[in-house]
Amino acid sequence: MKRTTLLTLILAAIVMFGCQKPKAVVIIPEPVEISPKGGQFTIDEKTMLCFDNLGAESSETSKMIRELYESYFGMRPNLGDAESAKKHSILFSISKKEIKDIGDEGYVLQVKPNRIVAEANTTAGLFYAMQTLMQMAGTDKLADSKTFAVPCGTITDYPRFGYRGAHLDVSRHFFDTAFVKKYIDMLAFFKINKFHWHLTDDHGWRIQIDQYPELTRVGAWRPERSSWDTLHPVLPDEPMTYGGFYTKDQIRDIVRYAAARHIDIIPEIEIPGHCSAILAAYPQFACDDYPYTVAVGPYWPPKAIMCAGNDGVLTFYKNVLNEVAELFPYPLIHIGGDEAFNDNWQVCPKCQQRIQDKGLKNEFELQQWLMNQIEHHLDSLGKKAIIWDDIVSEDMVNTSTIMCWQGLDVAKTAAKHGNDVIMCPTTHCYYNYYQYKGDDEPLCMEGYVSLGKAYSFDPMPEGLSDAQAKHILGGQCNLWTEFVNDPDMAEYMIMPRLFALSECVWSPKEKKDPQKFATKVDFTRNLMKKLGYKPSDRTVMEP
Ligand SMILES: [Zn+2]
């Protein structure tokens, strides 16, 4: 036999038997371990969906998984228990013996030709197993198939960080509850477990507070402008037609919705800057008598700051936080603290008196003191504060969790000081910046974070001791909405960069692979389009 004929035969054999090779699956974030096997399980109308040993959360968990199953696969499953799971079935089960190494968010997903078994130590793990299963069936989802092939094999998976967050600014532009829920669904799909809800800022106050009704009657509204013009402040006769806010009932509903998807909500109430909307409603809390309005334009009146020498301001914040704490069960509440420009404090007699009375060195220490008062109040409510890293100094009194936007050095200082840290540096995590350098790119905040740059984010700063590294809780992306006018633009800005973030906070560091990630982006982007989202098509893997 000629050598070329032999080669042809070998090639033909590879082609013929190639189908035995396990089909590659695209999962984002990349799981810890995938062991593929030949064959596949087919989800069809005969498939049983079974639950076992779910404990106290039994009905909520099975309801959530069933809802996901119905909406994603477009069919109602036949329901069963552990006994019926012997048939062609998908079984979700809390393991009777603790599964080692996967913690309380991990899972083990075994796919065999006749059976799928998802096991975890907790219901959160089972929820993530379901998300993975949905992605594994993505090829048929994209093909609008009536049945869904899931390649056989075993996946063992658990997150690298406990804090995996995404932020949404609803002050600069308002987003209704339907979109907030859609946003939460998107986060759940990528195993993000914290939603940082930026509810108050210069451009609008967005949360009902019973004791201060003017916050939403006045502070939630501003003139509608077709383009934002910093040189054109609010005119006395301009109608206040743009805005909105969430009622307490809407917030409770969103909190429940997120909890069912294993997402904690961290509300943010900005203290003491970014407060034009408060001062428009309650001008008595300012240091001066400037006629504050809710801000219009992409930037803000930088002098707007609450008077730290006014006891009424402290009472106001405490009363507001009492109502906020009641609405949000998660123990962490974000109290802002960024970009508090203290020009007014420097000339305000009350603020200067406070500095003197408390033996503080300067206005920076006055802010640390003010935040510390609020921290104590949150302690009394059984809550803990998150504060932006602007207050970090080596001798700070604050014990809060620090959210680091300014970079690694500040994060290191905070961790060395013993504060917990959440990383979201502008360099990698600000998804309000451009993701593409093209003339036809919609207007964004000045700055550039390509998909590749987002992917190169490592929440763990180098050079920390093991004890200090334990203070790094994880990371998040931030979507400020100065130039994000509506839901379509929000989805365009956050995806596909959210795909990158999810691998940065979930996947083991050694599993991160930019080349492999780049090959997965198109598939997952198409899947998100199929699910009704509008991600950007502009993929730039160069940082
Ligand atoms: Zn003052």
Side-chain angles (χ1 to χ4, degrees):
M1 195 184 287
K2 274 187 186 170
R3 195 181 248 187
T4 44
T5 319
L6 181 64
L7 202 63
T8 312
L9 278 172
I10 292 169
L11 280 171
I14 290 172
V15 171
M16 278 174 71
F17 298 105
C19 55
Q20 295 298 321
K21 206 178 136 233
K23 203 160 70 175
V25 290
V26 172
I27 302 167
I28 292 179
E30 185 67 23
V32 174
E33 199 184 327
I34 306 181
S35 312
K37 288 207 179 80
Q40 63 186 39
F41 178 97
T42 304
I43 297 173
D44 58 25
E45 298 217 311
K46 287 190 245 85
T47 303
M48 302 275 299
L49 184 60
C50 306
F51 299 98
D52 186 33
N53 197 35
L54 298 189
E57 296 172 70
S58 174
S59 62
E60 291 149 62
T61 306
S62 56
K63 183 168 169 270
M64 187 70 252
I65 289 174
R66 208 169 65 229
E67 272 178 34
L68 287 171
Y69 187 101
E70 287 179 11
S71 68
Y72 193 84
F73 298 119
M75 58 181 122
R76 297 189 71 156
N78 306 294
L79 297 176
D81 54 17
E83 189 55 32
S84 40
K86 287 169 188 159
K87 297 174 194 158
H88 186 81
S89 67
I90 306 173
L91 172 67
F92 285 86
S93 167
I94 300 284
S95 177
K96 294 191 173 73
K97 202 174 136 216
E98 191 189 335
I99 306 170
K100 279 201 181 123
D101 301 327
I102 66 166
D104 48 14
E105 292 187 293
Y107 61 91
V108 179
L109 185 64
Q110 278 183 291
V111 182
K112 294 177 180 172
N114 60 341
R115 221 179 153 200
I116 295 178
V117 178
E119 277 195 298
N121 294 323
T122 64
T123 53
L126 295 181
F127 180 76
Y128 293 136
M130 181 63 189
Q131 298 294 345
T132 295
L133 183 61
M134 283 153 53
Q135 293 199 20
M136 290 174 84
T139 305
D140 285 325
K141 177 76 184 169
L142 285 176
D144 282 325
S145 174
K146 295 274 181 269
T147 61
F148 298 83
V150 184
C152 290
T154 300
I155 293 180
T156 305
D157 199 14
Y158 50 87
R160 182 178 169 204
F161 291 102
Y163 187 107
R164 306 180 300 279
H167 152 288
L168 179 66
D169 167 11
V170 294
S171 174
R172 273 50 176 265
H173 281 97
F174 180 65
F175 295 85
D176 67 13
T177 54
F179 180 69
V180 173
K181 287 182 176 177
K182 191 181 178 196
Y183 197 82
I184 286 170
D185 284 338
M186 169 192 72
L187 302 185
F189 196 74
F190 295 100
K191 304 185 176 84
I192 299 296
N193 66 350
K194 309 287 179 228
F195 172 46
H196 173 182
W197 206 358
H198 187 78
L199 289 163
T200 76
D201 214 301
D202 294 294
H203 298 79
W205 180 280
R206 307 284 179 222
I207 171 172
Q208 177 189 349
I209 300 293
D210 297 331
Q211 206 171 336
Y212 299 96
E214 299 294 291
L215 286 172
T216 43
R217 198 187 67 80
V218 174
W221 302 95
R222 64 172 189 249
E224 182 144 27
R225 301 264 179 85
S226 55
S227 67
W228 284 27
D229 184 351
T230 51
L231 302 174
H232 172 28
V234 179
L235 302 173
D237 55 348
E238 264 189 290
M240 302 288 187
T241 52
Y242 181 86
F245 64 93
Y246 309 103
T247 65
K248 287 193 167 178
D249 281 345
Q250 287 175 325
I251 287 176
R252 287 186 196 101
D253 179 46
I254 297 272
V255 166
R256 275 193 300 270
Y257 190 87
R261 287 150 184 81
H262 297 275
I263 292 177
D264 299 307
I265 301 188
I266 293 135
E268 182 179 356
I269 305 297
E270 272 276 12
I271 302 172
H274 286 290
C275 60
S276 303
I278 304 175
L279 296 180
Y282 296 97
Q284 67 268 34
F285 295 143
C287 292
D288 56 8
D289 53 8
Y290 182 84
Y292 290 96
T293 64
V294 176
V296 290
Y299 306 102
W300 66 92
K303 279 190 177 179
I305 192 161
M306 301 284 275
C307 179
N310 179 346
D311 288 335
V313 165
L314 268 173
T315 308
F316 166 81
Y317 279 135
K318 288 176 184 176
N319 288 338
V320 166
L321 289 170
N322 290 345
E323 294 192 33
V324 172
E326 232 176 71
L327 286 169
F328 294 93
Y330 190 61
L332 293 176
I333 293 181
H334 203 309
I335 56 171
D338 62 318
E339 299 176 319
F341 298 103
N342 57 34
D343 305 46
N344 277 2
W345 288 0
Q346 294 169 27
V347 294
C348 168
K350 284 184 191 165
C351 287
Q352 290 304 311
Q353 188 65 46
R354 182 84 82 196
I355 289 175
Q356 213 176 2
D357 291 350
K358 299 294 170 192
L360 306 170
K361 283 201 208 77
N362 50 32
E363 289 75 22
F364 180 64
E365 286 198 0
L366 179 60
Q367 188 188 345
Q368 290 182 332
W369 172 85
L370 176 68
M371 302 314 271
N372 195 228
Q373 300 305 301
I374 304 296
E375 287 173 328
H376 288 321
H377 183 68
L378 287 181
D379 279 344
S380 76
L381 300 174
K383 301 282 187 182
K384 291 277 174 204
I386 299 179
I387 305 183
W388 293 108
D389 65 13
D390 303 50
I391 65 146
V392 171
S393 68
E394 276 173 15
D395 53 355
M396 66 178 165
V397 289
N398 311 81
T399 55
S400 302
T401 296
I402 301 297
M403 189 168 272
C404 275
W405 65 284
Q406 303 195 76
L408 296 178
D409 288 342
V410 197
K412 281 185 198 169
T413 307
K416 285 177 184 166
H417 188 269
N419 294 64
D420 286 342
V421 174
I422 297 158
M423 296 299 296
C424 53
T426 54
T427 47
H428 297 75
C429 300
Y430 269 43
Y431 294 177
N432 52 326
Y433 292 174
Y434 285 91
Q435 60 192 313
Y436 180 77
K437 290 174 180 166
D439 293 341
D440 55 344
E441 190 68 358
L443 186 66
C444 298
M445 185 61 95
E446 199 51 46
Y448 182 61
V449 176
S450 69
L451 179 63
K453 183 78 174 183
Y455 192 77
S456 69
F457 170 51
D458 185 353
M460 186 58 71
E462 281 176 8
L464 292 179
S465 68
D466 287 351
Q468 291 160 355
K470 286 202 172 73
H471 286 295
I472 308 295
L473 305 182
Q476 75 172 35
C477 60
N478 292 343
L479 188 58
W480 303 102
T481 57
E482 283 92 340
F483 299 98
V484 179
N485 298 13
D486 54 35
D488 285 358
M489 183 66 174
E491 291 170 14
Y492 179 90
M493 294 302 281
I494 200 161
M495 287 185 288
R497 288 183 284 191
L498 181 70
F499 306 176
L501 178 90
S502 76
E503 295 216 350
C504 299
V505 291
W506 178 283
S507 308
K509 196 176 175 185
E510 60 277 12
K511 277 276 176 175
K512 275 184 72 187
D513 175 349
Q515 279 171 330
K516 183 176 183 190
F517 174 74
T519 64
K520 299 194 294 184
V521 170
D522 269 347
F523 182 89
T524 304
R525 176 166 35 218
N526 287 335
L527 207 46
M528 295 317 286
K529 287 181 184 174
K530 182 62 79 181
L531 296 174
Y533 294 89
K534 292 179 176 161
S536 166
D537 283 319
R538 292 171 160 174
T539 303
V540 181
M541 281 307 288
E542 293 76 34

